[in-house]
Amino acid sequence: MSDALETSGTFRPEVIEDIQIKASSGLYRIRGWGTLRERRWATFDDLTFLPCSLTRIPLEGYREKCSTKTLLGTRFAKKPIELDVPVMITGMSWGALSYNAKVALARGARTAGSSNTTGDGGMLMAERENSRTLIYEVLPSRYGINVHHMRMADAIELTIGQGAKPGTGGLLLGSKVSDVIARQRDLPIGVDQRSPARHPDFLGPDDMIIKVEELREATDWQVPIFIKMGASRVFDDVKLAAKAGADVIVVDGMEGGTGASPAILQEHTGIPTLAAVCEARAALEDIGLYGEVQLIIAGGIRDGVDAAKALALGADAIYIGTAALIALNCNRPLFIEDYRALGTEPHHCHHCHTGRCPVGITTQDPELMKRLEIDEGAERIANLLRAMTLEIQMLARACGKSDIHHLEPEDMAALSMEASAVCGIPLAGTRKVFGR
Amino acid sequence: MAEISCDGRTTRDINSEIRRAIAAGDREIVVKDPGARHNLAVAILDPARIRISGSAGYFCGGLIDGPRIEIDESAGWGLAESMMSGEVLVRGSVGNGAAAAMRGGTVVIHGDAAARLGVSMKGGTILVAGNCGYMAGFMGQKGRLVVCGNTGDAFADSLYETACFVGGSIEGLGIDAVIEEPSKDDVAWLDATLSQYLPGVSRRGRDFKKVVAGRKLWNFDKREWKVWQEAL
Ligand SMILES: Cc1cc2nc3c(=O)[nH]c(=O)nc-3n(C[C@H](O)[C@H](O)[C@H](O)COP(=O)(O)O)c2cc1C
Ligand code: SF4
């Protein structure tokens, strides 16, 4: 290449663009979707399964019984959650998502025997009516908080943070604060809503112990209490959440999705999901609660392979957000002109923050929303959840497991030294765990 | 009238008994020897009158919809948090985050309120006869917050549509909080509400300052960079 066309390794074209956009707006950049960085850290792709050969005997891959039943909340709740599959729909707010998207997720999860979760805007009645198992989020903003809705839920999730932006509250830009959403959240129409990061009525982990008791009292100790956190100091935070009395801990890694967040937080805060699972398991083992407190892992989970690896590393269940939206046609080449109007193309869109979602998922515009047909969307969600579960079973059977929850770290080898060090799993071709 | 003693019993047991008494038709319940226990009378959803004869701990009357709760002495953090309707009256003072995220009803505090009073309130009315600590009213969305005495620093920071009224002095206004003249309706409402709930307060409606949102934080705007930079 001639010198004339050489690109700076520091001021790359996207850096130049970023600086010029900020020079024009005077503001940090906001967008949806989660980290866009090329992942140079250890990910689930750095692990491979070690199926049976002579040392272990496989189950018949396509047919032999391999249980996928998933129990959550066995520690204190009178009615733990029982799901047919280990993949659950994560909390995404009505506001970030359209009505059609919320209902399609609920109906699809119900069909597949899974659960869905409310979000930072309270519960939509149609969501409850279409769910089999509904998890009710209690977030710092408390938008739409309603004790009656809480008491209709099958579990309560006390959210401390999210993987896309641990330590910072949610964002919903004015274009999505429609009159309906404004009413639901008690906000003025069209404000750029910035949710608080701290809960309004407690601050530290000791107060949280009392908060958890309050939520139990409010729900008669019937339903499990989840505590959700963005992955940052996972080893310590998980222990504190367990001490606070959580039945289930949700850890959302740095690849976690979002409807809208400052881009720098998505790119430069938190630890990756792979590292987060390993720290979370180690924390629970350290305090003797591994197995008693269940662990849900979220953040960039794409398929049954990622999910199976997370299960093998210690998770009891998996949350998916972005993958579920993709099942609903996010980034599909439909209505291409509308992607272009946003300055993007199908497969590159991360413009959920604009409220102009070309496929009707992350919008409050009634016309755009119609593009997401609820029944069809529900079917696609159910299909994805089932396909992911079949993928997990396929891997579990190959590893000789009659229950997907029997997958273990010994079923895998590391493909990079980083993954070996993070997961405590020998590097393929060696007997060695790096860093130990 | 039902009398429930807290002595030697778990919170779960006490709250269950409150619920049982209400279900059995009792509309007057006295909770004795509360000993500043946490989570008393949480999520009560009926219009009963519950008197806590002593001090309550954290989250007393949290998540209620309908009852009238009277606390003879003081209350800890998160009093009546996220309540939807009803009345909560405290004869003494309250800890942090009182009436946080409340959506409706009335909270009356005869003494002082600590920090973060009425944070993220979404409706209803908060009345404090004494003073309040820092950051009262932070991100208040709707409803009215009345402090008859003095406020701490960062008062009414990042407000949406909560109307705040202060009888005494304001140690410092929060970001985007502005003082405006109370309207005639505001003064009439203050007079009527104070004489109903806090007749002992000598200040009248016309003595109050009104604090509302300057609305500069409602939408991102580069011209308001200074405000954004300092927003809590
Ligand atoms: C559109 C969208 C909206 C979201 N809204 C919320 C929310 O309201 N509350 C919350 O705790 N997390 C929210 N999240 C984060 C998810 O619950 C979850 O932690 C994350 O999406 C998991 O990562 P994944 O999307 O890569 O699966 C949202 C995510 C997306 C994509
Ligand atoms: S297609 Fe819609 S949901 Fe998907 S990234 Fe674009 S705006 Fe967001």
Side-chain angles (χ1 to χ4, degrees):
Chain A
M1 190 199 298
S2 81
D3 281 359
L5 285 179
E6 254 191 308
T7 316
S8 164
T10 308
F11 291 94
R12 299 191 53 75
E14 60 276 15
V15 176
I16 294 171
E17 194 190 2
D18 179 61
I19 291 172
Q20 289 171 349
I21 288 174
K22 286 185 295 200
S24 153
S25 71
L27 195 71
Y28 45 80
R29 295 181 70 186
I30 293 169
R31 59 170 175 77
W33 241 50
T35 180
L36 300 178
R37 280 164 76 183
E38 193 188 329
R39 296 193 291 174
R40 298 234 176 92
W41 50 85
T43 71
F44 289 111
D45 289 341
D46 293 309
L47 297 173
T48 186
F49 279 100
L50 301 175
C52 306
S53 50
L54 287 177
T55 44
R56 294 182 181 191
I57 312 299
L59 299 186
E60 287 297 338
Y62 302 108
R63 52 188 72 83
E64 220 169 329
K65 187 171 179 312
C66 176
S67 172
T68 60
K69 195 171 98 173
T70 298
L71 269 179
L72 300 168
T74 51
R75 188 183 184 192
F76 293 123
K78 264 203 201 125
K79 292 187 195 155
I81 285 179
E82 190 180 322
L83 304 174
D84 297 341
V85 298
V87 186
M88 311 155 77
I89 305 294
T90 190
M92 293 180 278
S93 72
W94 176 42
L97 297 190
S98 64
Y99 174 96
N100 290 20
K102 281 304 269 178
V103 179
L105 289 170
R107 210 174 281 177
R110 180 178 70 191
T111 307
S114 179
S115 69
N116 50 291
T117 312
T118 60
D120 194 10
M123 188 188 91
L124 186 59
M125 198 48 86
E127 184 177 23
R128 174 66 277 184
E129 287 160 3
N130 283 278
S131 307
R132 175 180 113 160
T133 303
L134 178 66
I135 298 155
Y136 184 89
E137 258 194 292
V138 176
L139 294 116
S141 71
R142 307 284 168 86
Y143 293 132
I145 183 94
N146 183 318
V147 61
H148 302 282
H149 294 172
M150 189 184 276
R151 287 170 64 87
M152 289 178 199
D154 302 288
I156 308 295
E157 184 168 282
L158 182 62
T159 298
I160 305 303
Q162 286 175 236
K165 48 176 173 228
T168 305
L171 268 181
L172 193 70
L173 297 185
S175 56
K176 293 172 95 170
V177 185
S178 64
D179 52 348
V180 180
I181 296 301
R183 211 174 317 123
Q184 164 79 3
R185 299 188 182 203
D186 296 302
L187 286 169
I189 296 170
V191 294
D192 290 327
Q193 170 238 294
R194 301 150 298 131
S195 306
R198 290 191 298 259
H199 278 270
D201 51 355
F202 72 94
L203 294 175
D206 293 329
D207 306 336
M208 189 165 75
I209 299 174
I210 310 170
K211 184 73 199 171
V212 169
E213 187 193 47
E214 186 204 15
L215 296 173
R216 291 207 191 273
E217 286 294 318
T219 50
D220 299 328
W221 291 73
Q222 299 286 316
V223 301
I225 309 287
F226 296 14
I227 294 180
K228 175 179 178 181
M229 59 181 74
S232 93
R233 292 182 180 83
V234 178
F235 186 70
D236 295 325
D237 291 342
V238 162
K239 288 200 249 181
L240 290 169
K243 183 180 165 213
D247 294 294
V248 176
I249 297 175
V250 181
V251 182
D252 187 18
M254 84 181 264
E255 291 97 326
T258 173
S261 299
I264 54 163
L265 299 183
Q266 298 179 53
E267 304 297 5
H268 300 287
T269 66
I271 66 166
T273 304
L274 179 73
V277 197
C278 298
E279 281 201 36
R281 177 190 181 137
L284 290 176
E285 282 176 342
D286 199 48
I287 51 175
L289 288 177
Y290 180 65
E292 191 176 333
V293 171
Q294 279 88 37
L295 191 60
I296 301 179
I297 290 298
I301 304 289
R302 300 161 295 184
D303 51 23
V305 182
D306 286 349
K309 290 173 181 174
L311 292 174
L313 288 171
D316 293 279
I318 308 300
Y319 264 162
I320 56 166
T322 305
L325 303 189
I326 293 172
L328 290 177
N329 285 342
C330 159
N331 266 297
R332 193 165 189 172
L334 303 165
F335 310 104
I336 292 174
E337 285 315 309
D338 289 334
Y339 285 96
R340 293 193 177 140
L342 290 171
T344 186
E345 294 283 338
H347 301 145
H348 301 276
C349 185
H350 45 261
H351 292 55
C352 316
H353 60 293
T354 62
R356 304 297 308 156
C357 175
V359 288
I361 302 170
T362 52
T363 181
Q364 299 305 319
D365 180 310
E367 288 308 310
L368 290 175
M369 207 188 302
K370 279 189 206 152
R371 295 178 181 178
L372 175 57
E373 211 276 305
I374 293 178
D375 279 331
E376 193 196 312
E379 196 180 324
R380 300 177 68 83
I381 291 296
N383 284 343
L384 177 70
L385 293 172
R386 285 174 173 155
M388 284 180 72
T389 304
L390 287 171
E391 288 177 334
I392 299 169
Q393 280 177 305
M394 172 86 57
L395 292 164
R397 287 191 188 106
C399 293
K401 310 293 195 229
S402 59
D403 186 322
I404 55 156
H405 297 289
H406 294 168
L407 282 166
E408 53 194 336
E410 289 71 18
D411 290 319
M412 297 185 292
L415 298 173
S416 70
M417 285 193 283
E418 286 84 353
S420 171
V422 167
C423 304
I425 290 178
L427 180 69
T430 75
R431 310 260 97 215
K432 198 169 154 64
V433 173
F434 278 77
R436 302 262 163 102
Chain B
M1 190 184 79
E3 268 195 14
I4 297 170
S5 169
C6 297
D7 258 353
R9 302 176 64 185
T10 64
T11 306
R12 193 172 170 185
D13 210 15
I14 299 161
N15 284 337
S16 305
E17 197 170 333
I18 296 175
R19 283 183 223 287
R20 266 198 303 277
I22 294 173
D26 273 316
R27 285 292 172 262
E28 297 273 332
I29 294 160
V30 178
V31 178
K32 304 194 73 161
D33 312 310
R37 182 191 292 271
H38 304 309
N39 292 321
L40 287 175
V42 157
I44 302 294
L45 308 176
D46 299 276
R49 184 167 165 204
I50 300 167
R51 185 168 153 214
I52 312 279
S53 56
S55 286
Y58 279 35
F59 307 124
C60 181
L63 293 159
I64 55 170
D65 190 7
R68 175 183 165 95
I69 298 178
E70 294 172 29
I71 300 169
D72 284 355
E73 294 175 20
S74 292
W77 284 35
L79 171 84
E81 65 88 13
S82 306
M83 75 179 275
M84 298 189 71
S85 74
E87 289 176 347
V88 176
L89 281 85
V90 183
R91 305 265 170 234
S93 293
V94 298
N96 283 358
M102 77 181 285
R103 298 193 68 184
T106 306
V107 171
V108 184
I109 296 152
H110 286 254
D112 298 325
R116 297 166 58 81
L117 166 73
V119 177
S120 292
M121 67 183 289
K122 300 165 198 326
T125 302
I126 302 173
L127 304 166
V128 180
N131 306 321
C132 72
Y134 65 88
M135 261 180 112
F138 176 60
M139 292 187 77
Q141 296 170 224
K142 283 186 179 155
R144 294 180 176 108
L145 170 63
V146 182
V147 179
C148 300
N150 308 325
T151 79
D153 200 7
F155 182 69
D157 196 290
S158 306
L159 277 186
Y160 290 108
E161 292 176 304
T162 298
C164 303
F165 299 93
V166 182
S169 63
I170 297 171
E171 187 180 327
L173 283 176
I175 303 293
D176 196 34
V178 296
I179 297 185
E180 70 173 35
E181 202 51 41
S183 68
K184 264 196 194 140
D185 287 349
D186 290 331
V187 172
W189 177 82
L190 279 165
D191 283 334
T193 308
L194 290 173
S195 63
Q196 180 185 352
Y197 287 103
L198 289 173
V201 168
S202 57
R203 284 204 167 91
R204 304 305 343 138
R206 62 173 182 280
D207 304 328
F208 282 76
K209 291 177 268 300
K210 183 177 184 185
V211 183
V212 296
R215 304 185 173 201
K216 287 183 178 167
L217 291 176
W218 284 20
N219 291 92
F220 289 110
D221 184 346
K222 67 182 166 197
R223 283 166 308 178
E224 304 295 353
W225 182 77
K226 197 75 203 136
V227 185
W228 277 99
Q229 189 197 20
E230 286 173 11
L232 281 163

